[in-house]
Amino acid sequence: MVISKNPEPNKEIFQSLIDNTITFLKSDSKKNQKMYQSLLGNKLESVVADIMTEKAKGSPFENTIELISGQRFPDIIAKKFYDVEVKTSKQDHWTTTGNSVLESTRLDFLLL
């Protein structure tokens, strides 16, 4: 296990970015249900990265949202420190049956 502490920007600012992204996604997905239902895998990752980029404007995360995507972990990196893994659900419940991240898919630079 790798544990790292980064004081800037603090996790509350990152949580605010995530909250704003989720709020937008919930609202937009109700307006554009068919479009969101067609977004599986890395297609949704790209949409989330674009929304995060927009929501990051004016914050310490502006111009730092990086889409990694593909069969690697994480899907998105913010400020080269905070990781985001994007998941989809076909129903309106968000549960997981287990960890879907393989250790071999983690990006090497995260071990620094």
Side-chain angles (χ1 to χ4, degrees), residues 28-87:
D28 199 46
S29 66
K30 287 179 182 173
K31 296 175 198 170
N32 301 298
Q33 284 184 338
K34 288 189 185 236
M35 189 268 299
Y36 277 92
Q37 288 173 343
S38 72
L39 298 176
L40 299 175
N42 61 0
K43 291 179 182 176
L44 180 60
E45 293 165 8
S46 178
V47 169
V48 172
D50 289 346
I51 294 167
M52 285 183 71
T53 298
E54 183 63 30
K55 298 301 177 185
K57 289 181 179 176
S59 81
F61 293 102
E62 186 170 1
N63 299 318
T64 71
I65 306 302
E66 181 181 356
L67 177 64
I68 302 299
S69 202
Q71 296 297 317
R72 297 177 290 167
F73 174 81
D75 296 325
I76 301 167
I77 298 175
K79 197 81 171 176
K80 298 200 180 291
F81 184 78
Y82 292 97
D83 303 338
V84 177
E85 183 70 12
V86 177
K87 298 293 179 193

Side-chain angles (χ1 to χ4, degrees), residues 15-31:
Q15 185 63 54
S16 178
L17 172 60
I18 294 299
D19 291 345
N20 290 337
T21 300
I22 290 170
T23 298
F24 181 87
L25 279 166
K26 284 181 178 180
S27 173
D28 199 46
S29 66
K30 287 179 182 173
K31 296 175 198 170

